[in-house]
């Protein structure tokens, strides 16, 4: 029983830290209607950059996190430029960046596929030394704190003139262009902000698990989409923008809790990606099936 | 005001689908001109408006507004001078955003957008007053999503948004064509009111010849990417639909080919 409790606690911590990535995915997927596959690469990039900054350059873990954010933003900018200036479809532009990042991430880690942070300071270890909390609670407090700050910042930003123009870009591009907004710029900026969040999330996960791994971002986009879907199912009735952002993080927590439970119930860990993919696929299929059934049902041969 | 000088545009150049949409077109609009544009299918009416708005680049020629050469400006940059209403009611507004948010986006047309709040509380009273003038009761639904409005309401809102920040030029591309006759009439009345009140220079494409004659101070007829008839003032007022049909046959050597226009006469 206590084993389950520990793994559930772990799951909640992971869910919150990954939830910051989900906020990034929310911006591109829900606001701009772009499935940005850069995320898999930029998440690992954030982790790798963070680990190397701390281990090899001995910088402050908070500074390392900031560098991870900037690295993520640069990755988003590459996808954004490929998509806007060179008109490559968004999905393909994301895949290109993601594949390229695999090699870049290995270069950053000096050719190793795994960089452990065993004896170095992290944001979490410092917080533990300072407060005396246990490891999980400390990670949770930091994760929730950063998530709340990010949600607050995003809520503010999307209420500003630039943020409104960005939302309108996802809504109706021709309309907002007719109102004098350069939609290439808003899309690029959205991808930069989104991947900045993903980089932060990767950096936090790296510091929390005390290692960076070349494969740590694999499937991140699917986790992000699954978390958004779960969040919508649970909190879909809430309409305000702040609660929608919150639901993305909550969805992420629920996702990792479900994962912990099914693993606990004996599911092979290797099957987890299949389960995530199935959750997203079902969530995308259901509305279409419902619409088609309604259409069929509403047909009557004789009319009224 | 607006100067279109020898503008040419060919779509799908050097392919079997090559289409000369604009064939060396020349047009000069004076300040305050309200010009109705008619013509058959594929005459180049929409293309002309799209070229002025910058949706596609032109092949050659020059487009000037108040002496500023905007020929090579991208679409979003021309928006500082131009207000637009499209044929499709879905195109002019952001369906997933509130009415007042849409108005706030339009109010900032041509201005630099920064990090100040997207809709300031002192603006709301101004929007309320402006939308009240439409007489559609929308002032009580300011926080409704635009997607909840009917096509006619959306066109009226788009028109209001296009003129919230006074444009140097207003482009109306068959903006009542997708509406039922009664709603179309209402939107057309609102159009005339707003144009008169702000003394806007306007180009309006219409498929209704009666409207083309009765509205505005000038009428142009297009055929195969050229302006084949240009009439204004008293002469325009005296026109009959039959005159227009005859003029068209004279100028083009063909029968008028736009079914909708024939039906709408």
């Amino acid at each position: 029983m206590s084993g389950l409790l520990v793994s559930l606690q772990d799951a909640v911590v992971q869910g919150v830290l990954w939830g910051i990535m989900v906020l990034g995915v929310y911006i591109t997927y829900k606001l701009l209607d772009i499935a940005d596959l850069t995320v898999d690469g930029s998440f690992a990039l954030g982790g790798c950059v963070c680990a190397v900054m701390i281990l090899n350059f001995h910088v402050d873990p908070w500074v390392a996190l900031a560098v991870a954010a900037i690295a993520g933003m640069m990755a988003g900018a590459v996808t954004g430029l490929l998509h806007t200036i060179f008109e490559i479809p968004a999905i393909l532009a994301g895949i290109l960046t993601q594949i390229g990042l695999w090699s870049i991430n290995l270069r950053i880690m000096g050719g190793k596929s795994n960089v452990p942070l065993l004896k170095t300071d992290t944001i979490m270890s410092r917080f533990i030394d300072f407060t005396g909390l246990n490891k999980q609670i400390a990670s949770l407090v930091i994760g929730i704190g950063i998530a709340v700050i990010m949600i607050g910042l995003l809520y503010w930003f999307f209420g500003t003139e630039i943020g409104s123009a960005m939302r309108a870009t996802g809504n109706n591009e021709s309309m907002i262009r007719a109102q004098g907004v350069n939609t290439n710029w808003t899309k690029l900026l959205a991808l930069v902000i989104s991947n900045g969040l993903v980089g932060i999330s990767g950096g936090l996960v790296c510091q929390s698990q005390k290692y960076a791994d070349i494969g740590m971002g694999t499937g991140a986009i699917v986790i992000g989409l699954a978390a958004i879907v779960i969040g919508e199912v649970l909190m879909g009735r809430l309409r305000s923008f702040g609660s929608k952002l919150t639901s993305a993080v909550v969805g992420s927590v629920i996702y990792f809790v479900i994962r912990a439970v099914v693993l606990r119930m004996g599911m092979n860990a290797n099957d987890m990606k299949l389960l995530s993919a199935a959750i997203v696929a079902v969530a995308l299929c259901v509305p279409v099936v419902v619409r088609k059934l309604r259409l069929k049902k509403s047909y009557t041969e004789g009319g009224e | 005001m607006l100067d279109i000088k020898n503008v040419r545009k060919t779509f799908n150049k050097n392919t079997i689908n090559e289409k000369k949409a604009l064939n060396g077109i020349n047009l000069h609009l004076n300040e305050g001109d309200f010009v109705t544009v008619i013509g058959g299918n594929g005459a180049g009416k929409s293309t002309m408006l799209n070229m002025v708005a910058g949706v596609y680049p032109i092949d050659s020629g020059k487009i000037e507004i108040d002496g500023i050469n905007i020929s090579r400006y991208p679409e979003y940059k021309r928006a500082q001078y131009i207000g637009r209403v499209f044929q499709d009611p879905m195109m002019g507004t952001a369906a997933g955003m509130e009415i007042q948010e849409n108005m706030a986006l339009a109010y900032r047309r041509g201005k630099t957008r920064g990090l100040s709040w997207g809709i300031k509380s002192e603006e709301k009273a101004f929007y309320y007053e402006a939308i009240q003038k439409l007489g559609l009761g929308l002032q009580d639904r300011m926080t409704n999503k635009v997607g909840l409005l009917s096509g006619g309401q959306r066109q009226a809102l788009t028109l209001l948004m296009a003129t919230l920040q006074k444009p140097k030029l207003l482009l109306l591309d068959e903006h009542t064509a997708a509406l039922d006759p009664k709603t179309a009439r209402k939107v057309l009345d609102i159009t005339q009111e707003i144009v008169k009140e702000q003394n806007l220079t306007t180009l309006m494409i219409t498929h209704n010849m009666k409207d083309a004659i009765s509205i505005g101070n000038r009428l142009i007829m297009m055929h195969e990417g050229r302006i084949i008839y240009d009439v204004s003032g008293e002469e325009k007022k005296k026109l009959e639909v039959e005159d227009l049909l005859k003029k068209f046959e004279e100028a083009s050597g063909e029968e008028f080919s736009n079914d909708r226009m024939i039906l709408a006469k």
Side-chain angles (χ1 to χ4, degrees):
Chain A
M1 193 59 215
S2 76
L4 177 65
L5 205 65
V6 170
S7 59
L8 282 183
Q9 282 179 350
D10 249 347
V12 172
V13 172
Q14 275 203 308
V16 173
L17 298 180
W18 280 77
I20 292 159
M21 174 213 68
V22 181
L23 288 174
V25 175
Y26 187 91
I27 294 174
T28 45
Y29 184 66
K30 292 307 275 188
L31 296 183
L32 275 116
D33 204 16
I34 293 174
D36 174 29
L37 299 186
T38 316
V39 169
D40 286 24
S42 55
F43 187 84
L45 175 67
C48 298
V49 165
C50 219
V52 169
M53 289 305 284
I54 292 175
L55 197 68
N56 298 358
F57 294 90
H58 309 291
V59 302
D60 186 278
W62 283 104
V63 176
L65 192 66
V67 178
I70 294 168
M73 291 166 108
M74 282 162 58
V78 171
T79 302
L81 290 173
L82 289 176
H83 176 50
T84 56
I85 307 286
F86 300 105
E87 298 179 9
I88 297 174
I91 290 207
L92 185 53
I95 292 176
L96 293 175
T97 313
Q98 181 202 112
I99 296 295
L101 279 172
W102 182 276
S103 304
I104 291 175
N105 290 342
L106 279 172
R107 286 253 172 204
I108 291 172
M109 295 197 292
K112 287 178 289 183
S113 62
N114 190 299
V115 171
L117 289 176
L118 291 178
K119 295 202 175 96
T120 53
D121 260 2
T122 63
I123 296 172
M124 287 79 182
S125 72
R126 282 223 190 137
F127 193 64
I128 292 166
D129 292 345
F130 186 69
T131 58
L133 292 168
N134 78 33
K135 181 175 170 287
Q136 281 175 329
I137 302 289
S139 297
L140 191 61
V141 170
I142 288 168
I144 289 177
I146 293 180
V148 167
I149 291 170
M150 291 304 157
I151 289 173
L153 279 174
L154 289 176
Y155 184 82
W156 163 76
F157 176 74
F158 282 100
T160 64
E161 291 174 340
I162 295 177
S164 307
M166 202 180 277
R167 280 187 293 142
T169 305
N171 237 276
N172 185 344
E173 248 184 82
S174 60
M175 170 266 183
I176 195 63
R177 232 182 285 128
Q179 304 303 343
V181 171
N182 182 352
T183 50
N184 277 348
W185 164 241
T186 49
K187 283 196 242 176
L188 177 70
L189 191 59
L191 283 162
V192 165
I193 293 172
S194 164
N195 282 289
L197 288 164
V198 176
I200 290 175
S201 179
L204 283 171
V205 169
C206 157
Q207 295 199 25
S208 154
Q209 67 190 14
K210 290 210 145 217
Y211 68 88
D213 186 274
I214 184 68
M216 67 190 281
T218 310
I221 180 70
V222 181
I223 294 177
L225 297 179
I228 289 171
V229 165
I230 294 170
E232 275 187 344
V233 170
L234 291 176
M235 299 169 66
R237 290 184 185 282
L238 300 175
R239 293 250 172 258
S240 85
F241 187 62
S243 60
K244 281 181 177 169
L245 290 175
T246 311
S247 79
V249 180
V250 172
S252 170
V253 171
I254 306 291
Y255 172 86
F256 279 93
V257 168
I258 292 174
R259 187 170 116 142
V261 170
V262 294
L263 289 177
R264 197 77 198 165
M265 277 159 52
M267 200 181 86
N268 186 335
N270 291 335
D271 292 337
M272 196 54 218
K273 289 223 184 340
L274 178 62
L275 181 66
S276 323
I279 291 177
V280 175
V282 168
L284 295 179
C285 292
V286 166
V288 178
V289 173
V290 168
R291 196 189 68 222
K292 287 190 173 169
L293 282 179
R294 278 212 189 117
L295 264 177
K296 256 190 187 164
K297 247 184 158 177
S298 67
Y299 171 78
T300 51
E301 208 163 319
E304 282 302 298
Chain B
M1 174 53 239
L2 173 70
D3 262 306
I4 300 178
K5 290 176 186 160
N6 202 21
V7 166
R8 289 173 194 278
K9 177 71 185 178
T10 307
F11 289 110
N12 306 315
K13 225 174 201 168
N14 301 325
T15 72
I16 194 143
N17 292 322
E18 183 170 296
K19 164 89 185 138
K20 281 189 179 154
L22 294 182
N23 225 333
I25 208 164
N26 286 291
L27 181 67
H28 172 83
L29 258 59
N30 292 315
E31 189 91 40
D33 263 356
F34 188 167
V35 182
T36 54
V37 185
I38 59 169
N41 295 330
K45 312 181 296 285
S46 285
T47 307
M48 179 174 76
L49 256 59
N50 283 336
M51 295 298 136
V52 173
V55 179
Y56 317 101
I58 54 176
D59 292 342
S60 63
K62 215 173 179 186
I63 301 172
E64 288 179 351
I65 287 184
D66 276 351
I68 305 162
N69 184 357
I70 61 164
S71 309
R72 306 189 70 173
Y73 280 24
E75 186 181 359
Y76 70 86
K77 217 171 154 188
R78 297 188 199 191
Q80 61 185 306
Y81 308 119
I82 298 172
R84 285 155 76 193
V85 184
F86 311 91
Q87 180 173 353
D88 179 357
M90 302 297 148
M91 249 178 99
T93 46
M97 297 174 77
E98 297 169 358
I99 293 181
Q100 57 179 10
E101 285 180 316
N102 270 273
M103 294 179 78
L105 287 168
Y107 188 57
R108 286 162 178 74
R109 182 169 50 78
K111 296 186 175 167
T112 312
R113 287 163 213 255
L115 289 175
S116 58
W117 207 236
I119 173 163
K120 297 189 182 65
S121 45
E122 61 264 28
E123 290 167 24
K124 287 182 185 171
F126 167 63
Y127 298 153
Y128 186 92
E129 209 175 296
I131 206 167
Q132 198 172 24
K133 280 193 209 153
L134 295 180
L136 298 171
L138 292 177
Q139 65 274 12
D140 302 321
R141 301 171 62 185
M142 294 300 273
T143 55
N144 277 179
K145 296 266 189 315
V146 169
L148 297 170
L149 305 188
S150 70
Q153 287 170 331
R154 281 178 82 159
Q155 281 310 66
L157 176 61
T158 310
L159 187 63
L160 181 63
M161 283 163 57
T163 53
L164 213 49
Q165 197 63 253
K166 187 183 174 185
K168 285 183 187 290
L169 179 66
L170 179 63
L171 300 178
L172 309 170
D173 187 355
E174 292 204 55
H175 67 306
T176 61
L179 309 175
D180 66 81
K182 205 178 144 203
T183 315
R185 176 57 43 200
K186 175 87 189 157
V187 171
L188 218 46
D189 288 345
I190 295 171
T191 308
Q192 284 177 283
E193 245 165 67
I194 291 179
V195 169
K196 197 174 155 199
E197 190 188 309
Q198 299 196 31
N199 190 30
L200 297 172
T201 312
T202 307
L203 268 173
M204 179 175 95
I205 299 177
T206 175
H207 64 262
N208 186 317
M209 294 212 195
K210 268 192 191 156
D211 289 344
I213 293 167
S214 66
I215 296 174
N217 64 328
R218 186 171 163 195
L219 180 152
I220 60 178
M221 184 189 279
M222 290 183 69
H223 182 64
E224 289 181 346
R226 283 198 190 87
I227 293 170
I228 54 170
Y229 184 49
D230 186 341
V231 59
S232 55
E234 283 305 309
E235 199 187 341
K236 169 177 180 286
K237 277 184 200 158
K238 280 187 239 146
L239 278 175
E240 299 280 340
V241 172
E242 276 70 27
D243 301 332
L244 284 180
L245 289 174
K246 218 161 80 195
K247 271 276 180 278
F248 184 84
E249 279 162 42
E250 268 174 34
S252 69
E254 293 170 31
E255 292 242 342
F256 208 94
S257 67
N258 189 334
D259 295 344
R260 278 193 304 160
M261 283 203 173
I262 306 288
L263 292 171
K265 73 179 182 176

